[in-house]
Amino acid sequence: MHTLNLGILAHVDAGKTSLTERLLHAAGIIDEIGRVDDGNTQTDSLALERQRGITIKSAVVSFTLDDVTVNLIDTPGHPDFIAEVERVLSVLDGAVLVISAVEGVQAQTRVLMRTLQRLRIPTLIFVNKTDRAGARYAQVLREITEKLTPHTVAAGPAVIGLGTREARSVPYADDDPRYTERLADLLTEHDDKLLTAYVEGGEELVPARLKAALAEQTRRALVHPVYFGSAVTGAGITALTDGIRELLPAAGGDPAGPVSGTVFKVERGRAGEKLAWVRMFSGTVRTRDRLVFGQGPGAVSEAKVTGIRVFADGADTDAASVGPGRIAKLRGLGGIRIGDAVGDIRAAATGHHFAPPTLESVVAAAPPVSRGELHFALAQLAEQDPLINLRQDDIRKEVSVSLYGEVQKEVIQATLAEEFGIDVTFSGTTTICLEKPSGTGSAFEIIDKDDNPFLATVGLRVDPAPPGSGVTYRLEVELGSMPYSLMRAVEETVAETLGQGLYGWRVTDCTVTMTHSGYWPRQSHAHAVFDKSMSSTAGDFRNLTPLVLMAALRQAGTTVYEPMHRFRAELPADTLGPLLPVLARLRAVPSPPSVDGARCVLEGGIPAARVHELQQRLPGLTRGEGLLETAFDTHRPVTGTVPQRSRTDHNPLDRKEYLLHTVRRAGGGQE
């Protein structure tokens, strides 16, 4: 028996959850197919998912196809929950990308396909809703080829009864010349031996060989078979399940090898305990094993596994162990987080495949709920979605969260009300910008010199780094020149301080180098009593580092970057004139338009903060005929007035104010 961890991905309303229900029904796991509109599907188990009719959290359900155990992972389709999709990608062996035969390829479809291709995840394409009025065959195939990938092959030449309940995909026979020629043209692009046989016209190029080559290249994510059908009527499902079983790769891994796995979801059990959803890649984890987990050598924890639940036959059940290829819920790992690796921590899934949230909003709870209660509840939500990224402002007594969009805001609001009994409001939604150093800057402060009130010497240099490189920390001083705890205090404080740059935004794409170091060792009186007032502590370095770093950053200067979206608008050609001045007011940068008769396609970039307004204005400007696709693209330097964000600290840019809050106590420590 082999295991396949299969993701179902799609743009919103493509019928992804309905397809999951149909696959479970075909496998005999459920007797009746649930409907999203009725709120009785297997994977949308949250009350909020049933109420809204959308998938918010990924869910796993297991079933068997002959000799393959499929762990089916249903993911959200709405772009506001793309972070949930990102976490699932790290555990997949293959994917089915669902497209609506009515709406065709959408912006979210393109984002998902690009990511699946970049990660080399074997992917089948299922065109759903062939039974709906307005369903298309040839046009959707053309969209897939033009907008997603040219490396596709349809499983059949047509759909009979398209747009009706009787719609059925006509499959190709294995020896149909139209099919074999298309397969040969597609597969020989990646197989020289097959190309030689094809060109020479030898006997080797038979349907059986083409079928084997199709399976091999699909498993390498080189080609993508396309199936047409309907999750509602069941049309095309048999062909799809055959493709899943025959064309997608089974999970590998050595049960006796070193333990290696990835945490892609964290939830709370009924008793409030943490449950870590882990995909195992190697080794075997048993109940009562002590398990190492973390996201790098410097952040390793260890705890005992007190319970294991594995997925099988549509449910999760208690198990004594879990081996490679399986997905399990592990209990007992109290400090575990999403993205942690278990066992081999070098395998931590720390990379990001999609853009981070671009909005930030202040959350306020209605009395009599305290700010502490609100923060606790939000922290619980952040465990399940780290990109919520709480930002607590102790000066203004405010808590902010990062967001992808308005739907996510509504879901957080409803979740807080239902699960924690907290009514909240959102205010002050702003676009999240970044700061990057404009040049090089350096600063240092010497122990017991000038007006340095801390028993520490710290020197730092800030240099620009390539786009997308993040923050790198380096040493130009000997590692042994100070105790490791003091060195570590400086490094940790640098990372924390860069959360707020000269304009209050997170600083990235820079290298910070420690250029000076010095400390006073433990001082004792004659009677051997430790004199803290004459000895350097980690607090000295934590308090001095922000002053030095921000002085260096001020010398370097920073440029504020705002998030930009790509846009693609299809509209009547005669409406282009009225649209262009609106785009100019929205600070959009369009490319030259492409006009084809009465239709026009316009592409370009637009600030993320203006996307919502463009979405609202486009229908009125195009007589309701305009179609708009947008997706995050990059960050661009802000032109005009530079946006600033209020600081949440004691502002190391203002030395006098900062020192008022970090003076040394009489006993020698720092606040």
Side-chain angles (χ1 to χ4, degrees), residues 155-225:
V159 174
I160 297 175
L162 192 65
T164 70
R165 295 279 298 185
E166 288 70 40
R168 294 290 184 273
S169 178
V170 179
Y172 281 117
D174 287 345
D175 58 353
D176 188 317
R178 295 171 297 175
Y179 185 53
T180 55
E181 287 179 13
R182 171 59 183 156
L183 273 183
D185 288 340
L186 180 67
L187 300 174
T188 52
E189 291 185 37
H190 310 288
D191 189 328
D192 291 340
K193 291 183 179 179
L194 198 64
L195 176 61
T196 300
Y198 180 52
V199 171
E200 294 178 355
E203 294 297 322
E204 296 183 37
L205 205 59
V206 295
R209 179 167 182 186
L210 288 173
K211 189 174 183 179
L214 176 64
E216 189 267 337
Q217 292 192 24
T218 301
R219 288 168 185 155
R220 292 169 56 198
L222 297 175
V223 300
H224 306 282

Side-chain angles (χ1 to χ4, degrees), residues 310-351:
V310 297
F311 293 90
D313 298 327
D316 57 294
T317 58
D318 288 326
S321 64
V322 58
R326 304 292 299 275
I327 292 176
K329 298 180 184 179
L330 302 185
R331 184 184 290 108
L333 311 178
I336 203 160
R337 301 170 298 165
I338 289 174
D340 279 359
V342 299
D344 183 2
I345 60 168
R346 294 172 298 178
T350 55

Side-chain angles (χ1 to χ4, degrees), residues 360-362 371 375 389-401 430 435 495-506 546 550 644-653 657-658 661-662:
E360 184 175 71
S361 187
V362 175
R371 193 163 57 96
H375 190 274
N389 189 29
L390 300 186
R391 184 172 183 264
Q392 186 158 341
D393 187 337
D394 293 326
I395 298 174
R396 293 165 191 79
K397 312 301 181 186
E398 294 177 344
V399 179
S400 300
V401 296
T430 58
E435 291 184 51
E496 181 181 342
T497 304
L498 289 177
Q500 301 181 89
L502 302 183
Y503 297 92
W505 305 106
R506 180 173 63 88
M550 295 308 289
Q644 297 194 44
R645 181 166 66 167
S646 300
R647 302 190 69 89
T648 62
D649 57 15
H650 295 302
N651 194 9
L653 289 167
E657 177 192 346
Y658 181 81
H661 294 90
T662 53

Side-chain angles (χ1 to χ4, degrees), residues 92-316:
L92 297 183
D93 301 307
V96 173
L97 181 64
V98 185
I99 299 172
S100 167
V102 180
E103 289 85 6
V105 174
Q106 302 290 292
Q108 181 78 346
T109 319
R110 299 168 78 173
V111 171
L112 292 170
M113 189 62 180
R114 280 197 300 267
T115 306
L116 289 166
Q117 290 177 309
R118 186 168 67 250
L119 299 177
R120 310 296 295 175
I121 295 175
T123 302
L124 308 181
I125 297 174
F126 183 73
V127 182
N128 192 24
K129 300 188 179 182
T130 56
D131 60 314
R132 296 286 185 89
R136 301 165 297 153
Y137 177 82
Q139 297 95 321
V140 173
L141 267 182
R142 186 166 58 251
E143 287 182 23
I144 291 171
T145 301
E146 294 175 353
K147 297 181 179 182
L148 298 183
T149 172
H151 305 296
T152 61
V153 57
V159 174
I160 297 175
L162 192 65
T164 70
R165 295 279 298 185
E166 288 70 40
R168 294 290 184 273
S169 178
V170 179
Y172 281 117
D174 287 345
D175 58 353
D176 188 317
R178 295 171 297 175
Y179 185 53
T180 55
E181 287 179 13
R182 171 59 183 156
L183 273 183
D185 288 340
L186 180 67
L187 300 174
T188 52
E189 291 185 37
H190 310 288
D191 189 328
D192 291 340
K193 291 183 179 179
L194 198 64
L195 176 61
T196 300
Y198 180 52
V199 171
E200 294 178 355
E203 294 297 322
E204 296 183 37
L205 205 59
V206 295
R209 179 167 182 186
L210 288 173
K211 189 174 183 179
L214 176 64
E216 189 267 337
Q217 292 192 24
T218 301
R219 288 168 185 155
R220 292 169 56 198
L222 297 175
V223 300
H224 306 282
V226 180
Y227 302 86
F228 280 76
S230 168
V232 171
T233 67
I237 298 301
T238 299
L240 177 62
T241 54
D242 287 346
I244 291 171
R245 186 184 67 254
E246 298 170 1
L247 303 179
L248 294 180
D254 180 5
V259 171
S260 175
T262 295
V263 178
F264 67 96
K265 181 173 178 175
V266 171
E267 65 180 12
R268 292 277 176 173
R270 293 182 178 179
E273 77 281 15
K274 269 190 180 181
L275 300 174
W277 295 47
V278 178
R279 155 71 197 267
M280 294 294 298
F281 292 99
S282 172
T284 301
V285 174
R286 300 173 178 82
T287 305
R288 293 185 293 278
D289 280 356
R290 293 200 64 83
L291 196 60
V292 173
F293 56 89
Q295 294 188 18
V300 179
S301 300
E302 184 176 333
K304 183 168 70 174
V305 177
T306 59
I308 299 174
R309 294 185 70 84
V310 297
F311 293 90
D313 298 327
D316 57 294

Side-chain angles (χ1 to χ4, degrees), residues 480-526:
S481 62
M482 292 196 309
Y484 177 75
S485 61
L486 304 184
M487 288 285 195
R488 185 67 179 166
V490 175
E491 182 177 356
E492 291 174 350
T493 307
V494 164
E496 181 181 342
T497 304
L498 289 177
Q500 301 181 89
L502 302 183
Y503 297 92
W505 305 106
R506 180 173 63 88
V507 181
T508 187
D509 293 347
C510 65
T511 300
V512 179
T513 304
M514 188 175 188
T515 58
H516 297 71
S517 65
Y519 76 109
W520 282 358
R522 293 173 66 91
Q523 304 291 325
S524 299
H525 297 291

Side-chain angles (χ1 to χ4, degrees), residues 374-650:
L374 173 62
H375 190 274
F376 173 79
L378 288 171
Q380 294 271 298
L381 296 186
E383 280 186 354
Q384 302 170 31
D385 185 356
L387 291 181
I388 285 179
N389 189 29
L390 300 186
R391 184 172 183 264
Q392 186 158 341
D393 187 337
D394 293 326
I395 298 174
R396 293 165 191 79
K397 312 301 181 186
E398 294 177 344
V399 179
S400 300
V401 296
S402 301
L403 300 164
Y404 278 98
E406 292 298 317
V407 174
Q408 187 186 18
K409 183 189 297 184
E410 294 171 12
V411 167
I412 292 174
Q413 188 175 38
T415 303
L416 289 171
E418 293 176 11
E419 297 187 9
F420 300 93
I422 299 176
D423 293 325
V424 300
T425 58
F426 291 85
S427 63
T429 300
T430 58
T431 302
I432 301 174
C433 297
L434 298 173
E435 291 184 51
K436 301 182 182 182
S438 306
T440 295
S442 61
F444 62 88
E445 301 224 10
I446 304 299
I447 193 170
D448 200 29
K449 292 289 182 68
D450 300 324
D451 60 345
N452 178 6
F454 306 111
L455 300 186
T457 291
V458 174
L460 297 169
R461 185 178 68 249
V462 178
D463 296 294
S469 60
V471 177
T472 303
Y473 183 77
R474 296 175 178 170
L475 296 177
E476 279 186 0
V477 297
E478 291 292 334
L479 184 60
S481 62
M482 292 196 309
Y484 177 75
S485 61
L486 304 184
M487 288 285 195
R488 185 67 179 166
V490 175
E491 182 177 356
E492 291 174 350
T493 307
V494 164
E496 181 181 342
T497 304
L498 289 177
Q500 301 181 89
L502 302 183
Y503 297 92
W505 305 106
R506 180 173 63 88
V507 181
T508 187
D509 293 347
C510 65
T511 300
V512 179
T513 304
M514 188 175 188
T515 58
H516 297 71
S517 65
Y519 76 109
W520 282 358
R522 293 173 66 91
Q523 304 291 325
S524 299
H525 297 291
H527 46 33
V529 176
F530 171 49
D531 185 355
K532 192 175 182 181
S533 66
M534 297 297 291
S535 307
S536 299
T537 66
D540 285 298
F541 288 87
R542 293 188 185 279
N543 286 330
L544 180 59
T545 296
L547 280 176
V548 176
L549 179 57
M550 295 308 289
L553 196 63
R554 192 189 332 244
Q555 186 182 99
T558 62
T559 301
V560 176
Y561 286 70
E562 64 180 336
M564 295 290 293
H565 280 228
R566 294 185 307 276
F567 74 85
R568 183 179 189 275
E570 295 185 21
L571 58 146
D574 62 342
T575 65
L576 178 61
L579 177 61
L580 290 176
V582 173
L583 291 174
R585 286 196 295 273
L586 297 178
R587 296 194 291 117
V589 182
S591 302
S594 172
V595 180
D596 183 8
R599 300 295 293 176
C600 171
V601 175
L602 187 66
E603 299 183 346
I606 183 172
R610 302 302 183 94
V611 169
H612 184 61
E613 185 176 348
L614 178 58
Q615 292 169 336
Q616 291 181 317
R617 298 284 307 270
L618 190 68
L621 292 166
T622 61
R623 302 189 296 272
E625 298 180 42
L627 300 174
L628 180 67
E629 296 178 5
T630 66
F632 174 83
D633 183 28
T634 186
H635 282 85
R636 181 186 72 177
V638 172
T639 57
T641 304
V642 177
Q644 297 194 44
R645 181 166 66 167
S646 300
R647 302 190 69 89
T648 62
D649 57 15
H650 295 302

